[in-house]
């Protein structure tokens, strides 16, 4: 900046107002009392000082959770990609395995139906010469919590 040839003063008790006809509150904005090199004090327009620059915000540190997430993202993506590749190689085997499982389900269903039929046929063939056995059981009890007695009769 260049040096000015005047001194800016404010109205204080040391510097009383040289113009008693004008009160300090009547001085318009941008006008101040100045002292010229010859000692004369007068009102003058003064350059406005630029307002101070706003403070530059300080850089905030990156939170730990954000760093962890950023580091895990490629790992998780790589794992998903590897799983997809593995499934594409395993697809023919998985299809064959599913067909084998369906065959196993059909075998189990056939066994669940066929075994009781074979047992029934075997009993009827083996018991064709014998008479059937009848078992009769009689149970009696007295009262709600009474002791129960029973007999078994074979005929």
């Amino acid at each position: 900046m260049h040096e000015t040839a005047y001194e800016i003063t404010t109205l204080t008790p040391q510097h009383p107002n040289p113009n008693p006809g004008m009160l300090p509150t009547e001085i318009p904005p941008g006008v101040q009392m100045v002292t010229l090199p010859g000692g004369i004090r007068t009102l003058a327009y003064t350059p406005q000082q630029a307002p101070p620059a706003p403070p530059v915000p300080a850089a905030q540190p990156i939170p730990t959770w954000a760093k962890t997430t950023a580091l895990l993202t490629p790992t998780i993506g790589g794992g998903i990609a590897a799983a997809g590749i593995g499934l594409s190689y395993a697809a023919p085997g998985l299809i064959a395995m599913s067909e084998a499982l369906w065959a196993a389900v059909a075998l189990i269903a056939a066994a669940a139906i066929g075994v009781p039929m074979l047992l029934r046929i075997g009993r009827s063939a083996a018991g064709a010469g014998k008479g059937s056995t009848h078992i009769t059981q009689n149970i009696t009890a007295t009262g709600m919590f009474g002791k129960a007695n029973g007999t078994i009769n074979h005929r």
Side-chain angles (χ1 to χ4, degrees):
M1 276 192 158
H2 60 75
E3 210 167 302
T4 59
Y6 54 88
E7 174 188 349
I8 298 174
T9 59
T10 58
L11 298 176
T12 61
Q14 292 87 10
H15 299 284
N17 188 356
N19 186 358
M22 187 173 226
L23 296 173
T25 56
E26 295 175 341
I27 298 176
V31 176
Q32 292 184 350
M33 180 68 65
V34 295
T35 305
L36 300 175
I40 300 171
R41 294 181 61 198
T42 185
L43 295 173
Y45 287 101
T46 56
Q48 293 288 333
Q49 290 186 352
V56 178
Q60 298 292 327
I62 298 173
T64 305
W65 66 266
K67 289 180 185 177
T68 304
T69 304
L71 291 173
L72 284 176
T73 302
T75 305
I76 293 171
I80 292 171
I85 292 169
L87 284 174
S88 70
Y89 282 122
L94 291 174
I95 292 170
M97 193 182 319
S98 69
E99 290 176 5
L101 286 173
W102 279 115
V105 167
L107 181 65
I108 291 170
I113 295 171
V115 170
M117 288 179 69
L118 288 175
L119 289 175
R120 191 173 304 139
I121 292 170
R123 281 187 198 156
S124 64
K130 292 171 132 184
S132 59
T133 303
H134 293 283
I135 298 174
T136 307
Q137 184 174 10
N138 296 321
I139 299 174
T140 58
T142 57
M144 183 176 282
F145 297 107
K147 184 176 178 181
N149 295 319
T151 58
I152 298 176
N153 299 321
H154 294 279
R155 293 186 198 169

